[in-house]
Amino acid sequence: MRKRLLAGLALAGAIALATTGCSGSASGSTGSSTAGGGGAAHKVITVGFAQTGSESGWRAANTQSMKDAFSEANGFKLIFNAADNKQEAQIAAVRSFINQGVDAIVIAPITVDGWDDVLKEAKAAKIPVILEDRTINVSDPSLYAAWVGDDFKKEGQTAGEWAKKTATSPTNMVVLEGTTGSAPALDRATGFTAGSAGAPITTLASQTGNFTRADGKTVMEGFLQKYGNKIQMLFAQNDDMGLGALDAITAAGLTPGKDIKIVTIDATHDGLQALADGKFNYVVECNPLLGPQVSDLVKKVVAGQSVPKSQVATDQSFTQDQAKTALPSRKY
Ligand code: GYE
């Protein structure tokens, strides 16, 4: 009963927004929290969060940031699901949130494609969807209210520019790619190509390591078996795969950071430690602490307020010396 009434209010709110031109939250529900002030009690906002999985240090920091932001003390009830990086499992989690009648759904989409159907179902149920971290390809952008995340293409470009500066003579490179079909894997590759354009770099091999240490190690072992000491540079699309590769490189009798120059993306604590220790050569940051921004968006969308369609976090990059300075106060 109550749910239906709320849905009705949501529809009225959506129409009102549409007619006033605030299309940013057209799919927003207005029924879940009372207006601020006036002493009225605020209703708890129930949020289903479909996380990718637990593949990396970045992901652990992102999950923690989201759990902290969507706390009971902040007025939320969080239903958390981690999909082990399986798209079908993530879509099933979103469907279950819809069936539970949550007030809002947050998704960190594993891959860019395949979202249309379930997002249409959420829209039909008048449940707003907010995307965090990764982006998606979707037929109709009004299927989600907002996205907040990092600029993966720029991260790749920064890594590529470093590679170009470093490759002063012909250089053989291998690449450890992230999850196939994910926005960061696609965009970091595009960005790297743009940033390193014109450099005398030959890519010997490029393969997915699924953003994990274990696969980074296994795939790097394969690269080393095939190409041995021909490999002079490694671009790992995240820290964890680079960290896994360190084991393989050392086991092959080579010195990481010297025989093989390494650039990674994320700048987690472990990644910056490897950089400070001279095992990595350059690390580009990707900020995982998105929880406060996402929870703010959810509150506004649920209250029927208009929100920016996309918000991009700012990232920096680190040399070995800069890592030494940054490490003591690094939060993740
Ligand atoms: O770089 C990687 C993680 O989507 C930006 O996913 C995120 C990526 C991050 O597993 O470590």
Side-chain angles (χ1 to χ4, degrees), residues 15 40 258 321 332:
I15 292 166
K258 298 219 158 50
D321 284 340
Y332 56 90

Side-chain angles (χ1 to χ4, degrees), residues 52 55-59 133-134 150 152 155 184 188 211 237-240 265-266 286:
T52 58
E55 68 280 0
S56 67
W58 190 99
R59 192 60 55 192
D133 166 26
R134 300 183 183 176
D150 296 75
F152 306 135
E155 292 165 358
R188 286 172 182 168
F211 281 135
Q237 288 184 353
N238 82 340
D239 287 352
D240 283 78
I265 298 177
D266 272 356
C286 180

